[in-house]
Amino acid sequence: MMQQPPISGEDIIVSLNRIRLEYGDVTALDDVHLQIRTGEFFTLLGPSGCGKTSLLQLIGGFQDPTYGAVFIDGKDVTRVPPYARPVNTVFQNFALFPHMTVAGNIRFGLEMLGWPRAKADRRVAEVLELVGLAGFGTRFPQELSGGQQQRTALARALGPEPRVLLLDEPMSALDLKLRKEMQGELARLHREAGITFIMVTHDQEEALSLSDRIAVLRYGKLRQVASPEELYHRPANSFVADFLGEANLIPAELLNDGPATGVIMVRPEAVTVRPGAGRVSGVVTERRFLGRGYELTVTHVTGLMLHCLEPSWEPLSLGQVVHLDWDDSAQLWLEQ
């Protein structure tokens, strides 16, 4: 099991110690150790059912672990309720009050915390400016676009000045174009707010583009915790390689001409088509237009399918035999 290496000499704001979460006979999280730095944009990534949302709920106080401890700012908050933690959450469905204006939605939480009206009004104006909704305070949620509703939800969560902002797939309800725009807005908000963001997503591209570090989970276990660059170029195992971006995973014996365990990973962009012999030969079985060019699927005689970019010097046709090659520096041996 790949756990996070210990972080020393860092300002740690969230620390999870030997977390285990069980639902009857089902283990949702299994012996998770994790440390998140102050001011970091940290993402929990993995397929459905991997435990990423459960982990976010544990940090927020919406779940109690079966075993283990949760620390925020050095304090044990394992049994502390959500409202007493220096944490706030943006939910998937935004959960705005339809009978309240934008300003009312933001102000409500501040008044529940006992903020004086004048102080709350000043903070409402500040966060509306921060999320680009100055002048929208008197509108109701149903009068807003999806992106504006999301900004309102972000403003409401940022209002109480939490130390940690939890984001539960915050852009899953948006269409693709708006989702791309809001990714940039979220990155800007993180920089300007200066607090720790912890996001759950199943979108690999979103995680790669926004995160300082990513934790990849599978079956309730951490498989690797690293920067986007390290996860993409130096995955710890074949699951991480295959889940994060597209990867060619080639059985080692196919290239070594002998018994071996594990696989060789090569990213499609590193594979070139040779006019003569290469490391692997196969037949072009699929050709997909990507806008910047074509991606090919080349099928080896064993049935192994490899992906590469079509060369600029010659359009290739389905059924054509091609030879593939790559530099030694582009390949990585991985355990299966």
Side-chain angles (χ1 to χ4, degrees), residues 169-205:
E169 302 209 40
M171 290 173 279
S172 61
L174 305 178
D175 62 51
L176 181 60
K177 183 177 181 181
L178 186 54
R179 188 168 184 150
K180 294 288 186 183
E181 292 176 2
M182 290 308 302
Q183 286 175 12
E185 285 297 302
L186 203 57
R188 178 189 64 80
L189 278 175
H190 177 248
R191 291 193 302 270
E192 295 184 8
I195 64 174
T196 304
F197 280 22
I198 304 176
M199 181 177 72
V200 160
T201 185
H202 63 273
D203 187 316
Q204 296 94 328
E205 183 180 341

PDB file of all heavy atoms in Angstrom, residues 169-205:
ATOM      1  N   GLU A 169     -16.888  17.936  -5.202  1.00  0.00           N
ATOM      2  CA  GLU A 169     -17.183  17.953  -6.646  1.00  0.00           C
ATOM      3  C   GLU A 169     -17.954  19.223  -7.006  1.00  0.00           C
ATOM      4  O   GLU A 169     -19.076  19.154  -7.544  1.00  0.00           O
ATOM      5  CB  GLU A 169     -17.954  16.693  -7.053  1.00  0.00           C
ATOM      6  CG  GLU A 169     -17.189  15.424  -6.716  1.00  0.00           C
ATOM      7  CD  GLU A 169     -17.495  14.274  -7.650  1.00  0.00           C
ATOM      8  OE1 GLU A 169     -17.626  14.505  -8.855  1.00  0.00           O
ATOM      9  OE2 GLU A 169     -17.575  13.142  -7.160  1.00  0.00           O
ATOM     10  N   PRO A 170     -17.364  20.394  -6.759  1.00  0.00           N
ATOM     11  CA  PRO A 170     -18.114  21.650  -6.863  1.00  0.00           C
ATOM     12  C   PRO A 170     -18.535  22.024  -8.265  1.00  0.00           C
ATOM     13  O   PRO A 170     -19.401  22.880  -8.435  1.00  0.00           O
ATOM     14  CB  PRO A 170     -17.119  22.679  -6.307  1.00  0.00           C
ATOM     15  CG  PRO A 170     -15.776  22.093  -6.613  1.00  0.00           C
ATOM     16  CD  PRO A 170     -15.957  20.613  -6.418  1.00  0.00           C
ATOM     17  N   MET A 171     -17.952  21.400  -9.301  1.00  0.00           N
ATOM     18  CA  MET A 171     -18.293  21.780 -10.669  1.00  0.00           C
ATOM     19  C   MET A 171     -19.013  20.686 -11.442  1.00  0.00           C
ATOM     20  O   MET A 171     -19.197  20.783 -12.645  1.00  0.00           O
ATOM     21  CB  MET A 171     -17.021  22.212 -11.404  1.00  0.00           C
ATOM     22  CG  MET A 171     -16.492  23.531 -10.875  1.00  0.00           C
ATOM     23  SD  MET A 171     -14.878  24.015 -11.544  1.00  0.00           S
ATOM     24  CE  MET A 171     -13.781  23.041 -10.521  1.00  0.00           C
ATOM     25  N   SER A 172     -19.456  19.637 -10.736  1.00  0.00           N
ATOM     26  CA  SER A 172     -20.083  18.505 -11.423  1.00  0.00           C
ATOM     27  C   SER A 172     -21.427  18.866 -12.044  1.00  0.00           C
ATOM     28  O   SER A 172     -21.877  18.203 -12.982  1.00  0.00           O
ATOM     29  CB  SER A 172     -20.264  17.341 -10.445  1.00  0.00           C
ATOM     30  OG  SER A 172     -21.113  17.710  -9.374  1.00  0.00           O
ATOM     31  N   ALA A 173     -22.099  19.918 -11.531  1.00  0.00           N
ATOM     32  CA  ALA A 173     -23.411  20.296 -12.059  1.00  0.00           C
ATOM     33  C   ALA A 173     -23.333  21.266 -13.234  1.00  0.00           C
ATOM     34  O   ALA A 173     -24.359  21.649 -13.789  1.00  0.00           O
ATOM     35  CB  ALA A 173     -24.257  20.915 -10.942  1.00  0.00           C
ATOM     36  N   LEU A 174     -22.119  21.656 -13.635  1.00  0.00           N
ATOM     37  CA  LEU A 174     -21.952  22.658 -14.688  1.00  0.00           C
ATOM     38  C   LEU A 174     -21.657  21.992 -16.027  1.00  0.00           C
ATOM     39  O   LEU A 174     -21.063  20.909 -16.078  1.00  0.00           O
ATOM     40  CB  LEU A 174     -20.809  23.612 -14.323  1.00  0.00           C
ATOM     41  CG  LEU A 174     -20.918  24.308 -12.957  1.00  0.00           C
ATOM     42  CD1 LEU A 174     -19.694  25.184 -12.726  1.00  0.00           C
ATOM     43  CD2 LEU A 174     -22.196  25.133 -12.865  1.00  0.00           C
ATOM     44  N   ASP A 175     -22.037  22.661 -17.120  1.00  0.00           N
ATOM     45  CA  ASP A 175     -21.695  22.126 -18.435  1.00  0.00           C
ATOM     46  C   ASP A 175     -20.203  22.312 -18.697  1.00  0.00           C
ATOM     47  O   ASP A 175     -19.513  23.019 -17.960  1.00  0.00           O
ATOM     48  CB  ASP A 175     -22.533  22.773 -19.540  1.00  0.00           C
ATOM     49  CG  ASP A 175     -22.316  24.276 -19.652  1.00  0.00           C
ATOM     50  OD1 ASP A 175     -21.152  24.710 -19.737  1.00  0.00           O
ATOM     51  OD2 ASP A 175     -23.317  25.026 -19.659  1.00  0.00           O
ATOM     52  N   LEU A 176     -19.705  21.664 -19.745  1.00  0.00           N
ATOM     53  CA  LEU A 176     -18.264  21.586 -19.960  1.00  0.00           C
ATOM     54  C   LEU A 176     -17.608  22.953 -20.097  1.00  0.00           C
ATOM     55  O   LEU A 176     -16.577  23.229 -19.467  1.00  0.00           O
ATOM     56  CB  LEU A 176     -17.972  20.733 -21.207  1.00  0.00           C
ATOM     57  CG  LEU A 176     -16.491  20.547 -21.553  1.00  0.00           C
ATOM     58  CD1 LEU A 176     -15.751  19.866 -20.413  1.00  0.00           C
ATOM     59  CD2 LEU A 176     -16.344  19.746 -22.844  1.00  0.00           C
ATOM     60  N   LYS A 177     -18.203  23.843 -20.899  1.00  0.00           N
ATOM     61  CA  LYS A 177     -17.600  25.151 -21.116  1.00  0.00           C
ATOM     62  C   LYS A 177     -17.556  25.963 -19.828  1.00  0.00           C
ATOM     63  O   LYS A 177     -16.524  26.558 -19.484  1.00  0.00           O
ATOM     64  CB  LYS A 177     -18.375  25.919 -22.191  1.00  0.00           C
ATOM     65  CG  LYS A 177     -17.755  27.278 -22.511  1.00  0.00           C
ATOM     66  CD  LYS A 177     -18.506  27.988 -23.624  1.00  0.00           C
ATOM     67  CE  LYS A 177     -17.866  29.335 -23.939  1.00  0.00           C
ATOM     68  NZ  LYS A 177     -18.598  30.053 -25.004  1.00  0.00           N
ATOM     69  N   LEU A 178     -18.667  25.959 -19.088  1.00  0.00           N
ATOM     70  CA  LEU A 178     -18.720  26.702 -17.834  1.00  0.00           C
ATOM     71  C   LEU A 178     -17.788  26.087 -16.800  1.00  0.00           C
ATOM     72  O   LEU A 178     -17.168  26.785 -16.002  1.00  0.00           O
ATOM     73  CB  LEU A 178     -20.160  26.733 -17.308  1.00  0.00           C
ATOM     74  CG  LEU A 178     -20.418  27.587 -16.070  1.00  0.00           C
ATOM     75  CD1 LEU A 178     -19.928  29.012 -16.277  1.00  0.00           C
ATOM     76  CD2 LEU A 178     -21.899  27.574 -15.731  1.00  0.00           C
ATOM     77  N   ARG A 179     -17.674  24.773 -16.858  1.00  0.00           N
ATOM     78  CA  ARG A 179     -16.773  24.082 -15.931  1.00  0.00           C
ATOM     79  C   ARG A 179     -15.335  24.542 -16.141  1.00  0.00           C
ATOM     80  O   ARG A 179     -14.596  24.784 -15.185  1.00  0.00           O
ATOM     81  CB  ARG A 179     -16.902  22.575 -16.148  1.00  0.00           C
ATOM     82  CG  ARG A 179     -16.175  21.736 -15.118  1.00  0.00           C
ATOM     83  CD  ARG A 179     -16.586  20.289 -15.231  1.00  0.00           C
ATOM     84  NE  ARG A 179     -15.984  19.478 -14.201  1.00  0.00           N
ATOM     85  CZ  ARG A 179     -16.526  18.387 -13.690  1.00  0.00           C
ATOM     86  NH1 ARG A 179     -17.698  17.990 -14.115  1.00  0.00           N
ATOM     87  NH2 ARG A 179     -15.899  17.702 -12.749  1.00  0.00           N
ATOM     88  N   LYS A 180     -14.931  24.679 -17.400  1.00  0.00           N
ATOM     89  CA  LYS A 180     -13.580  25.154 -17.705  1.00  0.00           C
ATOM     90  C   LYS A 180     -13.375  26.573 -17.177  1.00  0.00           C
ATOM     91  O   LYS A 180     -12.325  26.899 -16.609  1.00  0.00           O
ATOM     92  CB  LYS A 180     -13.337  25.120 -19.216  1.00  0.00           C
ATOM     93  CG  LYS A 180     -13.324  23.731 -19.828  1.00  0.00           C
ATOM     94  CD  LYS A 180     -12.088  22.975 -19.448  1.00  0.00           C
ATOM     95  CE  LYS A 180     -12.017  21.641 -20.200  1.00  0.00           C
ATOM     96  NZ  LYS A 180     -10.843  20.848 -19.780  1.00  0.00           N
ATOM     97  N   GLU A 181     -14.375  27.429 -17.375  1.00  0.00           N
ATOM     98  CA  GLU A 181     -14.262  28.805 -16.893  1.00  0.00           C
ATOM     99  C   GLU A 181     -14.149  28.844 -15.368  1.00  0.00           C
ATOM    100  O   GLU A 181     -13.341  29.587 -14.808  1.00  0.00           O
ATOM    101  CB  GLU A 181     -15.485  29.609 -17.335  1.00  0.00           C
ATOM    102  CG  GLU A 181     -15.573  29.836 -18.839  1.00  0.00           C
ATOM    103  CD  GLU A 181     -16.853  30.547 -19.237  1.00  0.00           C
ATOM    104  OE1 GLU A 181     -17.650  30.892 -18.328  1.00  0.00           O
ATOM    105  OE2 GLU A 181     -17.069  30.741 -20.453  1.00  0.00           O
ATOM    106  N   MET A 182     -14.937  28.010 -14.706  1.00  0.00           N
ATOM    107  CA  MET A 182     -14.946  28.034 -13.253  1.00  0.00           C
ATOM    108  C   MET A 182     -13.682  27.422 -12.658  1.00  0.00           C
ATOM    109  O   MET A 182     -13.302  27.748 -11.533  1.00  0.00           O
ATOM    110  CB  MET A 182     -16.184  27.318 -12.720  1.00  0.00           C
ATOM    111  CG  MET A 182     -17.490  28.066 -12.970  1.00  0.00           C
ATOM    112  SD  MET A 182     -17.450  29.803 -12.400  1.00  0.00           S
ATOM    113  CE  MET A 182     -17.082  29.602 -10.663  1.00  0.00           C
ATOM    114  N   GLN A 183     -13.021  26.549 -13.393  1.00  0.00           N
ATOM    115  CA  GLN A 183     -11.739  26.042 -12.915  1.00  0.00           C
ATOM    116  C   GLN A 183     -10.743  27.184 -12.751  1.00  0.00           C
ATOM    117  O   GLN A 183     -10.016  27.258 -11.748  1.00  0.00           O
ATOM    118  CB  GLN A 183     -11.192  24.987 -13.880  1.00  0.00           C
ATOM    119  CG  GLN A 183     -11.906  23.655 -13.817  1.00  0.00           C
ATOM    120  CD  GLN A 183     -11.414  22.681 -14.861  1.00  0.00           C
ATOM    121  OE1 GLN A 183     -10.399  22.891 -15.509  1.00  0.00           O
ATOM    122  NE2 GLN A 183     -12.145  21.588 -15.041  1.00  0.00           N
ATOM    123  N   GLY A 184     -10.711  28.086 -13.730  1.00  0.00           N
ATOM    124  CA  GLY A 184      -9.841  29.252 -13.621  1.00  0.00           C
ATOM    125  C   GLY A 184     -10.240  30.155 -12.476  1.00  0.00           C
ATOM    126  O   GLY A 184      -9.389  30.695 -11.755  1.00  0.00           O
ATOM    127  N   GLU A 185     -11.561  30.324 -12.275  1.00  0.00           N
ATOM    128  CA  GLU A 185     -12.049  31.140 -11.171  1.00  0.00           C
ATOM    129  C   GLU A 185     -11.684  30.532  -9.828  1.00  0.00           C
ATOM    130  O   GLU A 185     -11.337  31.236  -8.875  1.00  0.00           O
ATOM    131  CB  GLU A 185     -13.561  31.313 -11.271  1.00  0.00           C
ATOM    132  CG  GLU A 185     -13.993  32.280 -12.344  1.00  0.00           C
ATOM    133  CD  GLU A 185     -13.481  33.690 -12.055  1.00  0.00           C
ATOM    134  OE1 GLU A 185     -13.795  34.241 -10.989  1.00  0.00           O
ATOM    135  OE2 GLU A 185     -12.737  34.224 -12.898  1.00  0.00           O
ATOM    136  N   LEU A 186     -11.760  29.210  -9.733  1.00  0.00           N
ATOM    137  CA  LEU A 186     -11.430  28.539  -8.482  1.00  0.00           C
ATOM    138  C   LEU A 186      -9.947  28.691  -8.155  1.00  0.00           C
ATOM    139  O   LEU A 186      -9.574  28.910  -6.993  1.00  0.00           O
ATOM    140  CB  LEU A 186     -11.804  27.057  -8.578  1.00  0.00           C
ATOM    141  CG  LEU A 186     -12.046  26.315  -7.269  1.00  0.00           C
ATOM    142  CD1 LEU A 186     -13.142  26.981  -6.456  1.00  0.00           C
ATOM    143  CD2 LEU A 186     -12.401  24.861  -7.557  1.00  0.00           C
ATOM    144  N   ALA A 187      -9.109  28.596  -9.170  1.00  0.00           N
ATOM    145  CA  ALA A 187      -7.673  28.800  -8.960  1.00  0.00           C
ATOM    146  C   ALA A 187      -7.394  30.223  -8.482  1.00  0.00           C
ATOM    147  O   ALA A 187      -6.566  30.449  -7.583  1.00  0.00           O
ATOM    148  CB  ALA A 187      -6.908  28.507 -10.255  1.00  0.00           C
ATOM    149  N   ARG A 188      -8.091  31.195  -9.080  1.00  0.00           N
ATOM    150  CA  ARG A 188      -7.903  32.592  -8.651  1.00  0.00           C
ATOM    151  C   ARG A 188      -8.370  32.793  -7.217  1.00  0.00           C
ATOM    152  O   ARG A 188      -7.684  33.438  -6.406  1.00  0.00           O
ATOM    153  CB  ARG A 188      -8.689  33.515  -9.590  1.00  0.00           C
ATOM    154  CG  ARG A 188      -8.606  34.999  -9.193  1.00  0.00           C
ATOM    155  CD  ARG A 188      -9.560  35.858 -10.014  1.00  0.00           C
ATOM    156  NE  ARG A 188     -10.959  35.534  -9.792  1.00  0.00           N
ATOM    157  CZ  ARG A 188     -11.660  35.968  -8.739  1.00  0.00           C
ATOM    158  NH1 ARG A 188     -11.086  36.721  -7.814  1.00  0.00           N
ATOM    159  NH2 ARG A 188     -12.938  35.632  -8.610  1.00  0.00           N
ATOM    160  N   LEU A 189      -9.530  32.228  -6.880  1.00  0.00           N
ATOM    161  CA  LEU A 189     -10.044  32.356  -5.517  1.00  0.00           C
ATOM    162  C   LEU A 189      -9.082  31.760  -4.502  1.00  0.00           C
ATOM    163  O   LEU A 189      -8.884  32.311  -3.416  1.00  0.00           O
ATOM    164  CB  LEU A 189     -11.398  31.660  -5.402  1.00  0.00           C
ATOM    165  CG  LEU A 189     -12.619  32.438  -5.864  1.00  0.00           C
ATOM    166  CD1 LEU A 189     -13.853  31.558  -5.807  1.00  0.00           C
ATOM    167  CD2 LEU A 189     -12.823  33.678  -4.998  1.00  0.00           C
ATOM    168  N   HIS A 190      -8.495  30.634  -4.847  1.00  0.00           N
ATOM    169  CA  HIS A 190      -7.526  30.013  -3.935  1.00  0.00           C
ATOM    170  C   HIS A 190      -6.348  30.934  -3.680  1.00  0.00           C
ATOM    171  O   HIS A 190      -5.905  31.110  -2.542  1.00  0.00           O
ATOM    172  CB  HIS A 190      -7.048  28.677  -4.506  1.00  0.00           C
ATOM    173  CG  HIS A 190      -6.000  28.022  -3.673  1.00  0.00           C
ATOM    174  ND1 HIS A 190      -4.698  27.872  -4.104  1.00  0.00           N
ATOM    175  CD2 HIS A 190      -6.039  27.504  -2.424  1.00  0.00           C
ATOM    176  CE1 HIS A 190      -4.001  27.278  -3.167  1.00  0.00           C
ATOM    177  NE2 HIS A 190      -4.779  27.044  -2.146  1.00  0.00           N
ATOM    178  N   ARG A 191      -5.842  31.544  -4.737  1.00  0.00           N
ATOM    179  CA  ARG A 191      -4.706  32.463  -4.573  1.00  0.00           C
ATOM    180  C   ARG A 191      -5.089  33.671  -3.729  1.00  0.00           C
ATOM    181  O   ARG A 191      -4.351  34.082  -2.832  1.00  0.00           O
ATOM    182  CB  ARG A 191      -4.215  32.938  -5.948  1.00  0.00           C
ATOM    183  CG  ARG A 191      -3.540  31.879  -6.784  1.00  0.00           C
ATOM    184  CD  ARG A 191      -2.824  32.504  -7.973  1.00  0.00           C
ATOM    185  NE  ARG A 191      -3.728  33.279  -8.819  1.00  0.00           N
ATOM    186  CZ  ARG A 191      -4.398  32.770  -9.855  1.00  0.00           C
ATOM    187  NH1 ARG A 191      -4.284  31.490 -10.159  1.00  0.00           N
ATOM    188  NH2 ARG A 191      -5.193  33.539 -10.594  1.00  0.00           N
ATOM    189  N   GLU A 192      -6.251  34.246  -4.011  1.00  0.00           N
ATOM    190  CA  GLU A 192      -6.628  35.490  -3.352  1.00  0.00           C
ATOM    191  C   GLU A 192      -7.139  35.265  -1.930  1.00  0.00           C
ATOM    192  O   GLU A 192      -6.920  36.111  -1.052  1.00  0.00           O
ATOM    193  CB  GLU A 192      -7.677  36.223  -4.186  1.00  0.00           C
ATOM    194  CG  GLU A 192      -7.129  36.678  -5.536  1.00  0.00           C
ATOM    195  CD  GLU A 192      -8.133  37.495  -6.337  1.00  0.00           C
ATOM    196  OE1 GLU A 192      -9.207  37.834  -5.788  1.00  0.00           O
ATOM    197  OE2 GLU A 192      -7.845  37.786  -7.513  1.00  0.00           O
ATOM    198  N   ALA A 193      -7.818  34.151  -1.680  1.00  0.00           N
ATOM    199  CA  ALA A 193      -8.331  33.889  -0.329  1.00  0.00           C
ATOM    200  C   ALA A 193      -7.217  33.475   0.614  1.00  0.00           C
ATOM    201  O   ALA A 193      -7.269  33.741   1.815  1.00  0.00           O
ATOM    202  CB  ALA A 193      -9.414  32.810  -0.376  1.00  0.00           C
ATOM    203  N   GLY A 194      -6.190  32.797   0.081  1.00  0.00           N
ATOM    204  CA  GLY A 194      -5.029  32.440   0.883  1.00  0.00           C
ATOM    205  C   GLY A 194      -5.294  31.384   1.935  1.00  0.00           C
ATOM    206  O   GLY A 194      -4.611  31.341   2.957  1.00  0.00           O
ATOM    207  N   ILE A 195      -6.296  30.517   1.708  1.00  0.00           N
ATOM    208  CA  ILE A 195      -6.582  29.454   2.669  1.00  0.00           C
ATOM    209  C   ILE A 195      -6.426  28.099   1.998  1.00  0.00           C
ATOM    210  O   ILE A 195      -6.224  27.997   0.784  1.00  0.00           O
ATOM    211  CB  ILE A 195      -8.000  29.594   3.257  1.00  0.00           C
ATOM    212  CG1 ILE A 195      -9.071  29.420   2.173  1.00  0.00           C
ATOM    213  CG2 ILE A 195      -8.165  30.933   3.978  1.00  0.00           C
ATOM    214  CD1 ILE A 195     -10.487  29.403   2.718  1.00  0.00           C
ATOM    215  N   THR A 196      -6.530  27.058   2.795  1.00  0.00           N
ATOM    216  CA  THR A 196      -6.376  25.693   2.297  1.00  0.00           C
ATOM    217  C   THR A 196      -7.667  25.237   1.614  1.00  0.00           C
ATOM    218  O   THR A 196      -8.751  25.342   2.181  1.00  0.00           O
ATOM    219  CB  THR A 196      -6.047  24.738   3.452  1.00  0.00           C
ATOM    220  OG1 THR A 196      -4.878  25.222   4.133  1.00  0.00           O
ATOM    221  CG2 THR A 196      -5.796  23.334   2.946  1.00  0.00           C
ATOM    222  N   PHE A 197      -7.530  24.739   0.372  1.00  0.00           N
ATOM    223  CA  PHE A 197      -8.652  24.144  -0.352  1.00  0.00           C
ATOM    224  C   PHE A 197      -8.428  22.634  -0.402  1.00  0.00           C
ATOM    225  O   PHE A 197      -7.335  22.177  -0.758  1.00  0.00           O
ATOM    226  CB  PHE A 197      -8.735  24.661  -1.784  1.00  0.00           C
ATOM    227  CG  PHE A 197      -9.381  26.013  -1.947  1.00  0.00           C
ATOM    228  CD1 PHE A 197      -9.466  26.917  -0.901  1.00  0.00           C
ATOM    229  CD2 PHE A 197      -9.895  26.397  -3.177  1.00  0.00           C
ATOM    230  CE1 PHE A 197     -10.052  28.160  -1.062  1.00  0.00           C
ATOM    231  CE2 PHE A 197     -10.484  27.649  -3.354  1.00  0.00           C
ATOM    232  CZ  PHE A 197     -10.568  28.536  -2.296  1.00  0.00           C
ATOM    233  N   ILE A 198      -9.471  21.867  -0.056  1.00  0.00           N
ATOM    234  CA  ILE A 198      -9.426  20.408  -0.214  1.00  0.00           C
ATOM    235  C   ILE A 198     -10.619  20.017  -1.070  1.00  0.00           C
ATOM    236  O   ILE A 198     -11.770  20.213  -0.684  1.00  0.00           O
ATOM    237  CB  ILE A 198      -9.470  19.676   1.138  1.00  0.00           C
ATOM    238  CG1 ILE A 198      -8.340  20.164   2.051  1.00  0.00           C
ATOM    239  CG2 ILE A 198      -9.363  18.165   0.918  1.00  0.00           C
ATOM    240  CD1 ILE A 198      -8.375  19.555   3.438  1.00  0.00           C
ATOM    241  N   MET A 199     -10.355  19.470  -2.241  1.00  0.00           N
ATOM    242  CA  MET A 199     -11.403  19.196  -3.229  1.00  0.00           C
ATOM    243  C   MET A 199     -11.509  17.713  -3.529  1.00  0.00           C
ATOM    244  O   MET A 199     -10.495  17.016  -3.636  1.00  0.00           O
ATOM    245  CB  MET A 199     -11.121  19.960  -4.526  1.00  0.00           C
ATOM    246  CG  MET A 199     -12.168  19.759  -5.612  1.00  0.00           C
ATOM    247  SD  MET A 199     -11.858  20.756  -7.107  1.00  0.00           S
ATOM    248  CE  MET A 199     -10.436  19.883  -7.797  1.00  0.00           C
ATOM    249  N   VAL A 200     -12.733  17.241  -3.667  1.00  0.00           N
ATOM    250  CA  VAL A 200     -13.009  15.900  -4.175  1.00  0.00           C
ATOM    251  C   VAL A 200     -13.438  16.025  -5.624  1.00  0.00           C
ATOM    252  O   VAL A 200     -14.273  16.863  -5.969  1.00  0.00           O
ATOM    253  CB  VAL A 200     -14.126  15.215  -3.361  1.00  0.00           C
ATOM    254  CG1 VAL A 200     -14.746  14.064  -4.150  1.00  0.00           C
ATOM    255  CG2 VAL A 200     -13.590  14.696  -2.052  1.00  0.00           C
ATOM    256  N   THR A 201     -12.866  15.200  -6.492  1.00  0.00           N
ATOM    257  CA  THR A 201     -13.285  15.159  -7.892  1.00  0.00           C
ATOM    258  C   THR A 201     -12.978  13.782  -8.460  1.00  0.00           C
ATOM    259  O   THR A 201     -12.127  13.050  -7.934  1.00  0.00           O
ATOM    260  CB  THR A 201     -12.595  16.253  -8.722  1.00  0.00           C
ATOM    261  OG1 THR A 201     -13.130  16.240 -10.060  1.00  0.00           O
ATOM    262  CG2 THR A 201     -11.097  16.040  -8.809  1.00  0.00           C
ATOM    263  N   HIS A 202     -13.694  13.428  -9.512  1.00  0.00           N
ATOM    264  CA  HIS A 202     -13.351  12.230 -10.278  1.00  0.00           C
ATOM    265  C   HIS A 202     -12.762  12.618 -11.631  1.00  0.00           C
ATOM    266  O   HIS A 202     -12.438  11.761 -12.439  1.00  0.00           O
ATOM    267  CB  HIS A 202     -14.592  11.352 -10.496  1.00  0.00           C
ATOM    268  CG  HIS A 202     -15.650  12.023 -11.307  1.00  0.00           C
ATOM    269  ND1 HIS A 202     -16.606  12.833 -10.744  1.00  0.00           N
ATOM    270  CD2 HIS A 202     -15.899  12.041 -12.636  1.00  0.00           C
ATOM    271  CE1 HIS A 202     -17.397  13.302 -11.689  1.00  0.00           C
ATOM    272  NE2 HIS A 202     -16.991  12.848 -12.851  1.00  0.00           N
ATOM    273  N   ASP A 203     -12.619  13.929 -11.862  1.00  0.00           N
ATOM    274  CA  ASP A 203     -12.140  14.465 -13.131  1.00  0.00           C
ATOM    275  C   ASP A 203     -10.619  14.629 -13.070  1.00  0.00           C
ATOM    276  O   ASP A 203     -10.103  15.517 -12.394  1.00  0.00           O
ATOM    277  CB  ASP A 203     -12.819  15.814 -13.400  1.00  0.00           C
ATOM    278  CG  ASP A 203     -12.511  16.373 -14.780  1.00  0.00           C
ATOM    279  OD1 ASP A 203     -11.331  16.332 -15.192  1.00  0.00           O
ATOM    280  OD2 ASP A 203     -13.427  16.879 -15.444  1.00  0.00           O
ATOM    281  N   GLN A 204      -9.906  13.761 -13.785  1.00  0.00           N
ATOM    282  CA  GLN A 204      -8.443  13.775 -13.729  1.00  0.00           C
ATOM    283  C   GLN A 204      -7.857  15.081 -14.241  1.00  0.00           C
ATOM    284  O   GLN A 204      -6.911  15.625 -13.650  1.00  0.00           O
ATOM    285  CB  GLN A 204      -7.870  12.598 -14.537  1.00  0.00           C
ATOM    286  CG  GLN A 204      -8.226  11.232 -13.997  1.00  0.00           C
ATOM    287  CD  GLN A 204      -9.456  10.642 -14.636  1.00  0.00           C
ATOM    288  OE1 GLN A 204     -10.382  11.363 -15.029  1.00  0.00           O
ATOM    289  NE2 GLN A 204      -9.498   9.313 -14.743  1.00  0.00           N
ATOM    290  N   GLU A 205      -8.408  15.604 -15.336  1.00  0.00           N
ATOM    291  CA  GLU A 205      -7.885  16.848 -15.903  1.00  0.00           C
ATOM    292  C   GLU A 205      -8.066  18.006 -14.921  1.00  0.00           C
ATOM    293  O   GLU A 205      -7.176  18.852 -14.764  1.00  0.00           O
ATOM    294  CB  GLU A 205      -8.590  17.159 -17.220  1.00  0.00           C
ATOM    295  CG  GLU A 205      -8.061  18.409 -17.917  1.00  0.00           C
ATOM    296  CD  GLU A 205      -8.760  18.701 -19.222  1.00  0.00           C
ATOM    297  OE1 GLU A 205      -9.398  17.786 -19.774  1.00  0.00           O
ATOM    298  OE2 GLU A 205      -8.687  19.856 -19.691  1.00  0.00           O
TER     299      GLU A 205
END
